[in-house]
Amino acid sequence: MVVRAPWLWRLFRRPLARQFDWLAPRWDQIRTPGHLEPFEVALASIQQPPRRALDLGTGTGAGAQALAKRFPAAEVVGVDLSRAMVDEARRKLPVELEGRVRFEVGDSAALPFADAAFELAALLNMIPFFDELARVIAPGGHAVFSFSNGEATPIYVPPERVRRELARRGFTEFAEFSAGPGTASTARKAGGRR
Ligand SMILES: C[S@@+](CC[C@H](N)C(=O)[O-])C[C@H]1O[C@@H](n2cnc3c(N)ncnc32)[C@H](O)[C@@H]1O
């Protein structure tokens, strides 16, 4: 609903943050086996390693950690609406990633970052706010979407919709993946160096 009508987000923001605050201590226990598989496959397809990568709706930080491991020179920021999720993500961060990965409380619908601040932004089981997503990705950078249980994922956006929304905002070179129980897709923002 929020993808179709982003202005409704202000009604959902508080209750959703409260719901995820409550879920934070149990989140990792309810993750399904193989939940990162499609995400990893999509990341492996990216040829230009980002210098700065963003994980939107990071939860307990699994996506941010996967980004940092896949791109060992990248600085990674994980953002989540729920303070309790961010606390869990910080607590779980392995020591070896501490200098390169950080977590912030924030809203993906109004990000506290400059235009073109990241070469890659990832959404793992997360509601996309396309205007902000497109704004913070640098020309030539990538957007990565992953849904751990494909169409059965509660927050699922069909790839045709993702393509349509991103194409309108200057993205090209779409690719779709399927791995384990889930699906993923990537898109590249036009411009930048190859
Ligand atoms: C379904 S969980 C996914 C968490 C994690 N990416 C994973 O797959 O394990 C969605 C997460 O997005 C966060 N979230 C929802 N809307 C958000 C928004 N507008 N900005 C930032 N985080 C948001 C929630 O608090 C929650 O932690």
Coordinates of all heavy atoms in Angstrom, one line a residue, residues 21-99:
D21 N 10.3 -2.8 17.1 CA 11.0 -2.8 18.4 C 10.7 -4.0 19.2 O 11.5 -4.6 19.8 CB 10.5 -1.5 19.2 CG 11.1 -0.2 18.8 OD1 12.2 -0.3 18.1 OD2 10.6 0.8 19.2
W22 N 9.4 -4.4 19.2 CA 9.0 -5.6 19.9 C 9.6 -6.9 19.3 O 10.0 -7.8 20.0 CB 7.4 -5.7 19.9 CG 6.9 -6.9 20.6 CD1 6.8 -7.0 22.0 CD2 6.5 -8.1 20.1 NE1 6.3 -8.2 22.3 CE2 6.1 -9.0 21.2 CE3 6.4 -8.7 18.8 CZ2 5.6 -10.3 21.0 CZ3 6.0 -10.0 18.6 CH2 5.6 -10.7 19.7
L23 N 9.7 -6.9 18.0 CA 10.3 -8.1 17.3 C 11.8 -8.2 17.4 O 12.4 -9.3 17.3 CB 9.9 -8.1 15.8 CG 8.5 -8.5 15.4 CD1 8.2 -8.2 14.0 CD2 8.3 -10.0 15.7
A24 N 12.5 -7.1 17.7 CA 13.9 -7.1 17.6 C 14.6 -8.2 18.4 O 15.5 -8.9 17.8 CB 14.5 -5.7 18.0
P25 N 14.3 -8.4 19.7 CA 15.0 -9.5 20.4 C 14.8 -10.9 19.9 O 15.6 -11.8 20.2 CB 14.5 -9.4 21.8 CG 13.6 -8.1 21.9 CD 13.3 -7.8 20.5
R26 N 13.7 -11.1 19.1 CA 13.4 -12.4 18.6 C 13.6 -12.6 17.1 O 13.4 -13.6 16.5 CB 12.0 -12.9 19.0 CG 11.0 -11.7 19.2 CD 9.6 -12.2 19.7 NE 9.4 -12.0 21.1 CZ 9.5 -10.9 21.8 NH1 9.7 -9.8 21.2 NH2 9.2 -10.9 23.1
W27 N 14.0 -11.5 16.5 CA 14.1 -11.4 15.0 C 15.0 -12.6 14.4 O 14.6 -13.3 13.5 CB 14.6 -10.1 14.5 CG 14.5 -10.0 13.0 CD1 15.6 -9.9 12.2 CD2 13.3 -9.9 12.2 NE1 15.1 -9.8 10.9 CE2 13.7 -9.8 10.9 CE3 12.0 -9.8 12.5 CZ2 12.8 -9.7 9.9 CZ3 11.1 -9.8 11.5 CH2 11.5 -9.7 10.2
D28 N 16.1 -12.7 15.0 CA 17.0 -13.7 14.4 C 16.5 -15.2 14.6 O 16.9 -16.0 13.7 CB 18.5 -13.6 15.0 CG 19.1 -12.3 14.5 OD1 18.6 -11.7 13.5 OD2 20.2 -11.9 15.0
Q29 N 15.7 -15.4 15.6 CA 15.2 -16.8 15.7 C 14.1 -17.0 14.7 O 13.8 -18.2 14.4 CB 14.6 -16.9 17.1 CG 15.6 -17.2 18.2 CD 16.3 -16.0 18.6 OE1 15.7 -15.0 19.0 NE2 17.7 -16.0 18.5
I30 N 13.4 -16.0 14.2 CA 12.3 -16.3 13.2 C 12.8 -16.1 11.8 O 12.0 -16.3 10.9 CB 11.1 -15.4 13.5 CG1 11.4 -13.9 13.5 CG2 10.4 -15.7 14.9 CD1 10.2 -13.0 13.7
R31 N 14.1 -15.9 11.6 CA 14.6 -15.9 10.2 C 14.5 -17.3 9.6 O 14.8 -18.2 10.3 CB 16.1 -15.4 10.2 CG 16.3 -14.0 10.7 CD 16.0 -12.9 9.7 NE 14.7 -13.0 9.3 CZ 14.2 -12.6 8.1 NH1 15.1 -12.1 7.2 NH2 13.0 -12.7 7.7
T32 N 14.2 -17.4 8.3 CA 14.1 -18.7 7.7 C 15.5 -19.1 7.2 O 16.3 -18.3 6.9 CB 13.2 -18.7 6.5 OG1 13.5 -17.6 5.7 CG2 11.7 -18.6 7.0
P33 N 15.8 -20.4 7.2 CA 17.1 -20.9 6.7 C 17.3 -20.4 5.3 O 16.3 -20.4 4.5 CB 17.1 -22.4 6.8 CG 15.9 -22.7 7.7 CD 15.0 -21.5 7.7
G34 N 18.4 -20.0 4.9 CA 18.7 -19.6 3.5 C 18.1 -18.2 3.2 O 18.1 -17.8 2.0
H35 N 17.8 -17.4 4.2 CA 17.2 -16.1 4.0 C 18.1 -15.1 3.2 O 17.6 -14.2 2.6 CB 16.7 -15.5 5.3 CG 17.7 -15.0 6.3 ND1 18.0 -13.7 6.5 CD2 18.6 -15.7 7.0 CE1 19.0 -13.6 7.4 NE2 19.3 -14.9 7.7
L36 N 19.4 -15.4 3.3 CA 20.4 -14.5 2.6 C 20.8 -14.9 1.2 O 21.4 -14.2 0.5 CB 21.6 -14.3 3.5 CG 21.5 -13.4 4.7 CD1 22.8 -13.4 5.5 CD2 21.2 -11.9 4.3
E37 N 20.3 -16.1 0.9 CA 20.8 -16.7 -0.4 C 20.6 -15.8 -1.6 O 21.5 -15.6 -2.4 CB 20.1 -18.1 -0.7 CG 21.0 -19.2 -0.1 CD 20.3 -20.6 -0.5 OE1 20.2 -20.9 -1.7 OE2 19.9 -21.3 0.5
P38 N 19.3 -15.4 -1.9 CA 19.2 -14.6 -3.1 C 19.9 -13.2 -3.0 O 20.4 -12.7 -4.0 CB 17.6 -14.3 -3.2 CG 17.1 -14.7 -1.8 CD 18.1 -15.6 -1.2
F39 N 20.0 -12.7 -1.8 CA 20.8 -11.4 -1.6 C 22.2 -11.6 -2.0 O 22.8 -10.8 -2.8 CB 20.6 -11.0 -0.1 CG 21.2 -9.7 0.2 CD1 20.7 -8.6 -0.4 CD2 22.2 -9.5 1.2 CE1 21.1 -7.3 -0.1 CE2 22.6 -8.2 1.5 CZ 22.1 -7.1 0.9
E40 N 22.8 -12.7 -1.5 CA 24.2 -13.0 -1.8 C 24.4 -13.2 -3.4 O 25.4 -12.7 -3.9 CB 24.7 -14.3 -1.1 CG 24.7 -14.2 0.4 CD 25.9 -13.5 1.0 OE1 26.7 -12.9 0.2 OE2 26.1 -13.6 2.2
V41 N 23.5 -13.9 -4.0 CA 23.6 -14.1 -5.5 C 23.6 -12.8 -6.2 O 24.4 -12.5 -7.1 CB 22.5 -15.1 -5.9 CG1 22.4 -15.1 -7.5 CG2 22.8 -16.5 -5.4
A42 N 22.7 -11.9 -5.8 CA 22.6 -10.6 -6.4 C 23.8 -9.8 -6.2 O 24.4 -9.2 -7.1 CB 21.3 -9.8 -5.9
L43 N 24.4 -9.8 -5.0 CA 25.6 -9.0 -4.7 C 26.8 -9.6 -5.5 O 27.6 -8.8 -6.0 CB 26.0 -9.1 -3.2 CG 25.0 -8.4 -2.2 CD1 25.6 -8.5 -0.8 CD2 24.7 -7.0 -2.6
A44 N 26.8 -10.9 -5.7 CA 27.9 -11.5 -6.5 C 27.9 -11.0 -7.9 O 28.9 -11.1 -8.6 CB 27.8 -13.0 -6.4
S45 N 26.8 -10.6 -8.4 CA 26.7 -10.2 -9.8 C 27.2 -8.7 -10.0 O 27.3 -8.3 -11.2 CB 25.2 -10.2 -10.3 OG 24.5 -9.1 -9.7
I46 N 27.5 -8.0 -9.0 CA 27.9 -6.6 -9.1 C 29.4 -6.5 -9.4 O 30.2 -7.0 -8.6 CB 27.4 -5.8 -7.9 CG1 25.9 -5.8 -7.9 CG2 28.0 -4.4 -7.9 CD1 25.2 -4.9 -7.1
Q47 N 29.7 -5.9 -10.5 CA 31.1 -5.9 -11.0 C 31.9 -4.8 -10.4 O 33.1 -4.9 -10.2 CB 31.1 -5.8 -12.6 CG 30.3 -6.9 -13.3 CD 31.0 -8.2 -13.0 OE1 32.2 -8.4 -13.1 NE2 30.1 -9.2 -12.7
Q48 N 31.2 -3.6 -10.1 CA 32.0 -2.5 -9.6 C 31.8 -2.4 -8.1 O 30.7 -2.0 -7.6 CB 31.6 -1.2 -10.2 CG 31.7 -1.1 -11.7 CD 30.3 -0.9 -12.3 OE1 29.3 -1.6 -12.1 NE2 30.3 0.2 -13.1
P49 N 32.8 -2.8 -7.3 CA 32.6 -2.8 -5.8 C 32.3 -1.3 -5.4 O 33.0 -0.4 -5.8 CB 34.0 -3.3 -5.3 CG 34.7 -3.8 -6.4 CD 34.2 -3.2 -7.7
P50 N 31.3 -1.2 -4.5 CA 31.0 0.2 -4.0 C 32.1 0.6 -3.0 O 32.6 -0.2 -2.3 CB 29.7 0.0 -3.3 CG 29.6 -1.4 -2.9 CD 30.4 -2.2 -4.0
R51 N 32.3 1.9 -2.9 CA 33.1 2.5 -1.8 C 32.2 2.7 -0.6 O 32.7 2.5 0.6 CB 33.7 3.8 -2.2 CG 34.9 3.7 -3.1 CD 35.6 5.0 -3.3 NE 34.7 6.0 -4.0 CZ 34.5 7.2 -3.5 NH1 35.0 7.5 -2.3 NH2 33.6 8.0 -4.1
R52 N 31.0 3.1 -0.8 CA 30.0 3.3 0.3 C 28.7 2.5 0.0 O 28.2 2.7 -1.1 CB 29.7 4.8 0.4 CG 31.0 5.6 0.8 CD 30.8 7.0 0.3 NE 30.5 7.1 -1.2 CZ 30.3 8.2 -1.9 NH1 30.3 9.3 -1.3 NH2 30.1 8.2 -3.1
A53 N 28.3 1.7 0.9 CA 27.1 0.9 0.7 C 26.1 1.2 1.8 O 26.5 1.4 3.0 CB 27.4 -0.5 0.6
L54 N 24.8 1.1 1.5 CA 23.7 1.4 2.4 C 22.8 0.2 2.5 O 22.4 -0.4 1.4 CB 23.0 2.6 1.9 CG 21.8 3.1 2.7 CD1 22.2 3.6 4.1 CD2 21.2 4.3 1.9
D55 N 22.5 -0.2 3.7 CA 21.5 -1.3 3.9 C 20.2 -0.7 4.5 O 20.3 -0.3 5.7 CB 22.1 -2.4 4.8 CG 21.1 -3.6 4.9 OD1 20.3 -3.8 4.0 OD2 21.1 -4.2 6.0
L56 N 19.2 -0.6 3.8 CA 18.0 0.1 4.3 C 17.0 -0.9 4.9 O 16.8 -2.0 4.4 CB 17.2 0.8 3.1 CG 18.0 2.0 2.5 CD1 17.4 2.4 1.1 CD2 18.0 3.1 3.5
G57 N 16.5 -0.5 6.1 CA 15.7 -1.5 6.9 C 16.6 -2.6 7.3 O 16.2 -3.8 7.1
T58 N 17.7 -2.3 7.9 CA 18.8 -3.3 8.2 C 18.4 -4.4 9.2 O 18.9 -5.4 9.3 CB 20.1 -2.6 8.6 OG1 21.2 -3.5 8.5 CG2 20.0 -2.0 10.0
G59 N 17.4 -4.0 10.0 CA 17.0 -5.0 11.1 C 18.2 -5.2 12.0 O 18.8 -4.3 12.5
T60 N 18.5 -6.5 12.2 CA 19.6 -6.8 13.1 C 20.9 -6.8 12.4 O 21.9 -7.3 12.9 CB 19.4 -8.2 13.8 OG1 19.1 -9.2 12.8 CG2 18.2 -8.1 14.8
G61 N 20.9 -6.3 11.1 CA 22.2 -6.0 10.4 C 22.7 -7.1 9.5 O 23.9 -7.0 9.0
A62 N 21.9 -8.2 9.3 CA 22.5 -9.3 8.4 C 22.9 -8.8 7.0 O 23.9 -9.2 6.5 CB 21.4 -10.4 8.3
G63 N 22.1 -7.9 6.5 CA 22.4 -7.4 5.1 C 23.6 -6.6 5.1 O 24.5 -6.7 4.2
A64 N 23.8 -5.7 6.2 CA 24.9 -4.8 6.3 C 26.2 -5.7 6.4 O 27.2 -5.4 5.8 CB 24.8 -3.9 7.4
Q65 N 26.1 -6.7 7.2 CA 27.3 -7.6 7.4 C 27.6 -8.3 6.1 O 28.8 -8.5 5.7 CB 27.0 -8.7 8.5 CG 27.0 -8.1 9.9 CD 27.1 -9.2 10.9 OE1 27.7 -10.2 10.7 NE2 26.5 -8.9 12.1
A66 N 26.6 -8.8 5.4 CA 26.8 -9.5 4.1 C 27.5 -8.5 3.1 O 28.4 -8.9 2.3 CB 25.5 -10.0 3.5
L67 N 27.1 -7.3 3.1 CA 27.7 -6.2 2.2 C 29.1 -6.0 2.5 O 30.0 -6.0 1.7 CB 26.9 -4.9 2.3 CG 25.6 -4.8 1.6 CD1 24.8 -3.6 2.1 CD2 25.8 -4.7 0.1
A68 N 29.4 -5.9 3.8 CA 30.8 -5.7 4.3 C 31.7 -6.8 3.9 O 32.9 -6.6 3.6 CB 30.8 -5.4 5.8
K69 N 31.2 -8.0 4.0 CA 32.0 -9.2 3.7 C 32.2 -9.4 2.2 O 33.3 -9.7 1.7 CB 31.4 -10.5 4.3 CG 31.5 -10.5 5.8 CD 30.8 -11.7 6.4 CE 30.7 -11.5 7.9 NZ 29.6 -12.2 8.6
R70 N 31.2 -9.1 1.4 CA 31.3 -9.2 0.0 C 32.2 -8.1 -0.6 O 32.9 -8.3 -1.6 CB 29.9 -9.1 -0.7 CG 29.8 -8.9 -2.1 CD 30.2 -10.1 -2.9 NE 29.5 -11.3 -2.5 CZ 29.7 -12.5 -3.1 NH1 30.7 -12.7 -4.0 NH2 29.0 -13.6 -2.7
F71 N 32.2 -6.9 0.0 CA 33.0 -5.8 -0.5 C 33.9 -5.3 0.6 O 33.6 -4.4 1.3 CB 32.0 -4.6 -1.0 CG 31.0 -5.1 -2.0 CD1 29.7 -5.1 -1.7 CD2 31.4 -5.5 -3.3 CE1 28.7 -5.5 -2.6 CE2 30.5 -5.9 -4.2 CZ 29.1 -5.9 -3.9
P72 N 35.1 -5.9 0.7 CA 35.9 -5.7 1.8 C 36.5 -4.3 1.9 O 37.1 -4.0 3.0 CB 37.1 -6.8 1.7 CG 36.7 -7.6 0.5 CD 35.6 -7.0 -0.2
A73 N 36.4 -3.5 0.9 CA 37.0 -2.1 1.0 C 35.8 -1.1 1.3 O 36.1 0.1 1.4 CB 37.7 -1.7 -0.3
A74 N 34.6 -1.6 1.3 CA 33.5 -0.6 1.4 C 33.2 -0.2 2.9 O 33.4 -1.0 3.8 CB 32.2 -1.3 0.8
E75 N 32.8 1.0 3.0 CA 32.2 1.5 4.2 C 30.7 1.2 4.1 O 30.1 1.5 3.1 CB 32.3 3.0 4.3 CG 33.3 3.6 5.2 CD 33.2 5.1 5.1 OE1 32.1 5.6 5.4 OE2 34.2 5.7 4.7
V76 N 30.1 0.6 5.2 CA 28.7 0.2 5.1 C 27.9 0.9 6.2 O 28.4 1.0 7.4 CB 28.6 -1.3 5.3 CG1 27.1 -1.7 5.2 CG2 29.4 -2.0 4.2
V77 N 26.7 1.4 5.8 CA 25.8 2.0 6.8 C 24.5 1.2 6.8 O 24.0 1.0 5.7 CB 25.5 3.5 6.5 CG1 24.6 4.1 7.6 CG2 26.8 4.3 6.4
G78 N 24.1 0.8 7.9 CA 22.7 0.2 8.1 C 21.8 1.1 8.7 O 22.1 1.7 9.8
V79 N 20.6 1.3 8.1 CA 19.6 2.2 8.7 C 18.4 1.5 9.0 O 17.9 0.6 8.3 CB 19.3 3.4 7.7 CG1 18.1 4.2 8.1 CG2 20.5 4.2 7.5
D80 N 17.8 1.8 10.2 CA 16.5 1.2 10.5 C 15.7 2.2 11.4 O 16.2 2.9 12.2 CB 16.7 -0.1 11.3 CG 15.5 -1.0 11.2 OD1 14.4 -0.7 11.9 OD2 15.5 -2.0 10.4
L81 N 14.4 2.1 11.2 CA 13.4 2.9 11.9 C 13.4 2.5 13.3 O 13.0 3.4 14.2 CB 12.1 2.6 11.2 CG 10.9 3.4 11.4 CD1 11.2 4.8 10.8 CD2 9.7 2.8 10.6
S82 N 13.6 1.3 13.6 CA 13.4 0.8 15.0 C 14.8 0.9 15.8 O 15.8 0.3 15.4 CB 13.0 -0.7 14.9 OG 13.4 -1.4 16.1
R83 N 14.7 1.6 16.9 CA 15.9 1.7 17.7 C 16.3 0.4 18.3 O 17.5 0.1 18.4 CB 15.7 2.7 18.9 CG 16.8 2.8 19.8 CD 16.8 4.1 20.7 NE 17.0 5.3 19.9 CZ 18.2 5.7 19.5 NH1 19.3 5.0 19.7 NH2 18.3 6.8 18.8
A84 N 15.4 -0.4 18.6 CA 15.7 -1.8 19.2 C 16.4 -2.6 18.2 O 17.4 -3.4 18.5 CB 14.5 -2.4 19.7
M85 N 16.0 -2.5 16.9 CA 16.7 -3.3 15.9 C 18.2 -2.8 15.7 O 19.1 -3.5 15.6 CB 16.0 -3.1 14.5 CG 14.7 -3.9 14.4 SD 15.1 -5.7 14.2 CE 13.5 -6.3 13.7
V86 N 18.3 -1.4 15.7 CA 19.7 -0.9 15.6 C 20.5 -1.3 16.8 O 21.7 -1.7 16.6 CB 19.6 0.7 15.5 CG1 20.9 1.3 15.7 CG2 19.0 1.0 14.1
D87 N 20.0 -1.3 18.0 CA 20.7 -1.8 19.2 C 21.2 -3.2 19.0 O 22.3 -3.6 19.3 CB 19.9 -1.7 20.4 CG 19.7 -0.2 20.9 OD1 20.4 0.7 20.4 OD2 18.8 0.0 21.7
E88 N 20.3 -4.1 18.5 CA 20.6 -5.5 18.2 C 21.7 -5.6 17.2 O 22.7 -6.4 17.3 CB 19.4 -6.3 17.7 CG 18.5 -6.7 18.8 CD 19.1 -7.7 19.8 OE1 19.6 -8.8 19.3 OE2 19.0 -7.5 21.0
A89 N 21.6 -4.8 16.1 CA 22.6 -4.8 15.0 C 23.9 -4.4 15.5 O 25.0 -5.1 15.2 CB 22.1 -3.9 13.9
R90 N 24.0 -3.4 16.4 CA 25.3 -3.0 16.9 C 25.9 -4.1 17.8 O 27.1 -4.4 17.8 CB 25.1 -1.7 17.7 CG 24.8 -0.5 16.8 CD 24.6 0.8 17.6 NE 24.4 1.9 16.8 CZ 23.7 3.0 17.1 NH1 23.1 3.1 18.3 NH2 23.6 4.0 16.2
R91 N 25.0 -4.7 18.6 CA 25.5 -5.7 19.6 C 26.0 -6.9 18.8 O 27.0 -7.5 19.3 CB 24.3 -6.1 20.5 CG 24.6 -6.9 21.7 CD 23.4 -7.2 22.5 NE 22.4 -8.0 21.8 CZ 22.5 -9.3 21.5 NH1 23.5 -10.0 21.9 NH2 21.5 -10.0 20.8
K92 N 25.4 -7.2 17.7 CA 25.8 -8.5 17.0 C 27.0 -8.3 16.0 O 27.4 -9.2 15.4 CB 24.6 -8.9 16.1 CG 23.5 -9.6 16.9 CD 22.5 -10.1 15.9 CE 23.1 -10.9 14.8 NZ 22.3 -11.0 13.6
L93 N 27.4 -7.0 15.8 CA 28.4 -6.8 14.8 C 29.8 -7.4 15.2 O 30.3 -7.1 16.3 CB 28.6 -5.2 14.6 CG 29.5 -4.8 13.5 CD1 28.9 -5.2 12.1 CD2 29.8 -3.3 13.5
P94 N 30.3 -8.3 14.4 CA 31.6 -8.9 14.8 C 32.7 -7.8 14.9 O 32.7 -6.8 14.1 CB 31.9 -9.8 13.6 CG 30.7 -9.9 12.8 CD 29.8 -8.7 13.1
V95 N 33.6 -8.0 15.8 CA 34.7 -7.0 16.0 C 35.4 -6.6 14.7 O 35.7 -5.5 14.5 CB 35.7 -7.6 17.0 CG1 36.9 -6.7 17.3 CG2 35.0 -8.0 18.3
E96 N 35.7 -7.6 13.9 CA 36.5 -7.3 12.7 C 35.8 -6.4 11.7 O 36.4 -5.8 10.8 CB 36.9 -8.6 12.0 CG 35.8 -9.5 11.4 CD 35.2 -10.5 12.4 OE1 35.4 -10.3 13.6 OE2 34.5 -11.4 11.9
L97 N 34.4 -6.2 11.9 CA 33.7 -5.3 11.0 C 33.5 -3.9 11.7 O 32.9 -3.0 11.0 CB 32.4 -5.9 10.6 CG 32.4 -7.2 9.7 CD1 31.0 -7.6 9.3 CD2 33.3 -7.0 8.5
E98 N 33.9 -3.8 12.9 CA 33.6 -2.6 13.7 C 34.0 -1.2 13.0 O 33.3 -0.3 13.1 CB 34.1 -2.7 15.1 CG 33.1 -3.3 16.0 CD 33.6 -3.5 17.4 OE1 34.7 -3.0 17.7 OE2 32.9 -4.2 18.2
G99 N 35.2 -1.2 12.4 CA 35.6 0.0 11.8 C 34.9 0.4 10.5 O 35.0 1.6 10.1

